[in-house]
Amino acid sequence: MSYARKNAIITAAIWAVVLIGLLLSVLLPGPERFVEAEYASWRLISAVLVLPGFLVNAWLGWRTKRGKERGEMDERDDVVARHASQITLLAVGMIVFLAALLLYDVYRDAGGVPAGWLWLLAYGTVAVLSLVHAVTGLLLDLRGVPDA
């Protein structure tokens, strides 16, 4: 298994767990009650959940740099990462756009979107971005990408 493929699997696994944790931390108390004072611990939990993902990203960035220096990663891995980034930008942009429209439409009559949803949208975007990039990179690596 290639170095880049291992990195993508590790990243996808970590960010999938982070995303599930974020969803649970907002949805269990409810998006409407999430920002109330008695749910401050839930907000702290959701913020802390993102930390392992960032730490793993930093570690994998360092590991990737070492892998390139040692010749364990090559130009093909760069092409896969570039294509994954292009697909990720489009996919995450569409997800955030559609989520914002959906939230607006669902809560139009209420006069505003509960802040818990916005909290989830903000932290969730970070998790979805990293998850989609890792999964896309993994799929492109498995399928093969023509040189660009």
Side-chain angles (χ1 to χ4, degrees), residues 122-147:
Y123 278 101
T125 299
V126 171
V128 167
L129 180 74
S130 296
L131 178 61
V132 168
H133 188 271
V135 170
T136 303
L138 184 59
L139 293 174
L140 290 173
D141 187 42
L142 292 171
R143 185 189 75 165
V145 176
D147 290 336

Side-chain angles (χ1 to χ4, degrees), residues 60-136:
L60 289 174
W62 171 79
R63 188 172 181 231
T64 298
K65 183 179 177 189
R66 265 191 47 213
K68 286 181 181 180
E69 290 169 355
R70 293 179 174 179
E72 295 166 342
M73 297 180 75
D74 57 16
E75 302 82 28
R76 183 186 173 284
D77 295 316
D78 290 335
V79 171
V80 168
R82 189 171 55 252
H83 281 269
S85 294
Q86 292 168 346
I87 293 168
T88 299
L89 178 63
L90 179 63
V92 173
M94 288 174 46
I95 290 168
V96 171
F97 179 78
L98 293 173
L101 286 178
L102 179 66
L103 287 171
Y104 170 77
D105 197 45
V106 167
Y107 289 99
R108 179 178 34 205
D109 294 337
V113 175
W117 284 118
L118 302 178
W119 188 279
L120 181 59
L121 185 61
Y123 278 101
T125 299
V126 171
V128 167
L129 180 74
S130 296
L131 178 61
V132 168
H133 188 271
V135 170
T136 303

Side-chain angles (χ1 to χ4, degrees), residues 33-51:
R33 296 180 300 175
F34 182 76
V35 294
E36 294 175 5
E38 59 268 16
Y39 293 96
S41 60
W42 287 93
R43 290 189 301 279
L44 179 62
I45 289 168
S46 65
V48 169
L49 281 171
V50 178
L51 183 61

